[in-house]
Amino acid sequence: MGNLYLTYREGFPKDLDSTFIENTDGTIISYGELEEESAKYANGLSELGLQPGDRVSVQLDKSHEVVFIYLACLRANLIFHPINTAYKENELSFLLNDAKPSVFICEKEIYENISFLNLEESISHVFTLNPADHESIQSIKKEGDHEIVDCSPDHTAALLYSSGTTGRPKGIMLTHGNIGSNAHALKDAWGFSDDDILLHSLPIYHVHGLFVALGCVFLSGSKILWTKSFDAEQAIELLPRCTVMMGVPTYYTRLVASKDLDKSCLSKMRLFISGSAPLLEDTFIQFYKKTDHHILERYGMTETNIICSNPLNGERKPETVGIPLKDILLRIVDDSFNSLEIGEIGHIQVRGPNVFNSYWNLPEKTKEDFTSDNYFNTGDKGFVDKDGYLSIVGRTKDMIISGGLNVYPKEVESLIDSYEEVEESAVIGLADKDLGESVTAIVVLNANFYLSEDDIIFRLKEDMAGFKVPKKVIFVDDLPRNAMGKVQKNILRDKYQ
Ligand code: MLC
Ligand code: AMP
């Protein structure tokens, strides 16, 4: 059987009373509860009439209950579709119209305003999570054993969206095999055991918090200290009880900036892992000075899960993301896809059991992103050194990573350009100490029109998730263009840095 739930369950501790999650209010969720609750939800979802392959879309604040629902979907071979809680109506509406879920579980505010979402087809079952609500997902739970649905490793387990250069989000279908094989590779690479206690402060609607972190824990039967979000002071209070932490680079820059971080609170810690965005050498060095720990940096993406990692034992080189994980092939190629030598910069392509098979309903786009010998074009550029360590030096995709979240300039530009006062705009990322890159809009106004920075930010916040909204707006008379008429963003970046 290729069902990912069974893969995970092999790692659960023998004693199912062992703690899986400890919440900050002290409540404990055991592995036994995880089994039982996920079975109850799976029974309930099946009784609603859902069939393997149907989507369950979830836009909920972080809670252990969402993990139960994720595992329930795996058990019943339904496709789990987590949605960023920051998404506004327009963004949510696009995703739901595209994914066409049979079940949508959301916060009460969205539930009560579902009619504003302009759904092309109504969703059969919409629930909240709060047991006090009339339509709570908790009400569908059914006691009793649940027979895990047989499926192949090629069945889709999860649908995660990432935007693209066109600004239109693409659904990425990750299979039971993709997620399971990567979880095994990571558990081994990072030496997870049932002695581990992971500080889990990441959101669980992305690969990092959902598959990377939870996968290592499930497969090793280890324990999680679970926080709603990342707060450096809270993390410093919890770290004395932890052995491993995972985070985006912003978590580490915030920890380094805190006067309370020192070696005395890290007596049990064995490993700090960073990913989702570049970790600056300065952060790596400052963190080591304060903690005696070399942060382990790794590289991944939604389409591929984790590709490369610095070693657990061995040299962790700053500004590299290490070597490919077990069974993953990586190559650096030129524009004509010829393989390049050590040290030469080119496009990063990957192949392996971790790589997704196709985009949701976008066969042409899938074809475009894979080579004839089935390597996936990551859209990242880099080189490999003599020891096989990969360094990422840029991207061919126009994308900004702010605090570990991707922002696609095209999406922000399209919205700004839709304002009648605006002639055109260019959105760029500028280096930022806290967020890595900070979204910045360069705007040309139409003659005789006026709009302030605050006006633009205020309007954008109405229609898009806050993390995409520029932190700064700069007004100019025109945008620099090359001979082909393309806006030269490198000139803008150099000028405004
Ligand atoms: C929140 N805000 C951000 C932001 N996060 N702005 C820019 N970039 C971000 N990442 C804005 C909000 O809109 C809000 O704006 C204000 O900041 C306060 O919100 P908050 O939620 O209180 O912010 P904060 O707690 O400081 O969050 C920052 C953060 C968080 C870095 C802790 O974004 C985070 O946890 N990021 C991790 C994302 C992640 O898991 N990425 C993994 C992707 S998977 P206002 O104006 O309304 O006040 C992947 C694959 C792989 O990439 O390799 O792992
Ligand atoms: P996402 O699609 O949200 O999963 O983002 C994946 C992208 O994040 C990759 O294609 C890289 O551009 C970037 N990324 C992830 N990890 C790292 C890292 N350690 N260093 C640099 N970039 C990274």
Side-chain angles (χ1 to χ4, degrees), residues 40-48 103 105 125 127 135-143:
K40 287 185 205 166
Y41 276 119
N43 285 332
L45 289 166
S46 302
E47 278 206 14
L48 289 178
V103 170
I105 314 167
H125 307 282
F127 297 103
E135 285 288 345
S136 163
I137 187 73
Q138 315 245 4
S139 67
I140 72 157
K141 289 198 275 186
K142 290 279 172 318
E143 297 281 344

Side-chain angles (χ1 to χ4, degrees), residues 23-174:
N23 286 304
T24 46
D25 63 4
T27 49
I28 303 274
I29 307 300
S30 69
Y31 276 90
E33 217 169 318
L34 180 65
E35 276 252 279
E36 275 171 30
E37 292 298 305
S38 61
K40 287 185 205 166
Y41 276 119
N43 285 332
L45 289 166
S46 302
E47 278 206 14
L48 289 178
L50 269 68
Q51 296 296 321
D54 285 347
R55 277 78 56 213
V56 175
S57 299
V58 171
Q59 191 190 36
L60 289 171
D61 291 338
K62 184 176 176 182
S63 90
H64 56 254
E65 211 75 35
V66 178
V67 183
F68 299 158
I69 296 167
Y70 163 47
L71 293 196
C73 289
L74 295 181
R75 298 178 75 124
N77 196 9
L78 303 170
I79 300 177
F80 182 70
H81 169 214
I83 301 175
N84 190 328
T85 46
Y87 284 169
K88 299 282 169 54
E89 273 166 26
N90 284 339
E91 293 157 314
L92 187 55
S93 163
F94 176 87
L95 296 181
L96 295 175
N97 280 326
D98 198 62
K100 303 209 180 336
S102 306
V103 170
F104 175 44
I105 314 167
C106 55
E107 298 295 337
K108 195 167 182 176
E109 201 186 325
I110 300 287
Y111 179 87
E112 284 172 348
N113 292 297
I114 196 96
S115 58
F116 293 113
L117 291 184
N118 290 322
L119 297 180
E120 287 155 12
E121 288 168 29
S122 60
I123 302 171
S124 311
H125 307 282
V126 182
F127 297 103
T128 66
L129 187 61
N130 185 349
D133 292 340
H134 177 57
E135 285 288 345
S136 163
I137 187 73
Q138 315 245 4
S139 67
I140 72 157
K141 289 198 275 186
K142 290 279 172 318
E143 297 281 344
D145 287 346
H146 174 261
E147 197 175 327
I148 295 156
V149 175
D150 193 5
C151 72
S152 110
D154 289 337
H155 273 119
T156 303
L159 181 64
L160 275 74
Y161 280 77
S162 99
S163 282
T165 40
T166 58
R168 180 189 187 276
K170 315 175 288 258
I172 296 158
M173 294 195 275
L174 289 165

Side-chain angles (χ1 to χ4, degrees), residues 11 84 136 138 142 192 259 269 275 285 351 372 384 406 431:
N84 190 328
S136 163
Q138 315 245 4
K142 290 279 172 318
F192 265 81
K259 62 177 181 3
M269 279 302 289
I285 293 170
R351 188 179 145 170
S372 53
V384 172
N406 296 356

Side-chain angles (χ1 to χ4, degrees), residues 4 6 21 31 33 54 69 73 132 134 185 218 233 252 281 309 314 317 325 389 413-414 427 462 464 472 488 495:
L4 176 60
L6 291 176
I21 282 179
Y31 276 90
E33 217 169 318
D54 285 347
I69 296 167
C73 289
H134 177 57
F218 291 142
E233 296 315 313
Y252 292 106
E281 184 168 18
S309 172
K317 299 189 196 180
L325 294 168
Y389 285 52
E413 289 160 4
S414 302
V427 169
E462 304 256 289
M464 63 174 34
K472 184 150 193 57
Q488 292 169 300
K495 180 162 179 190

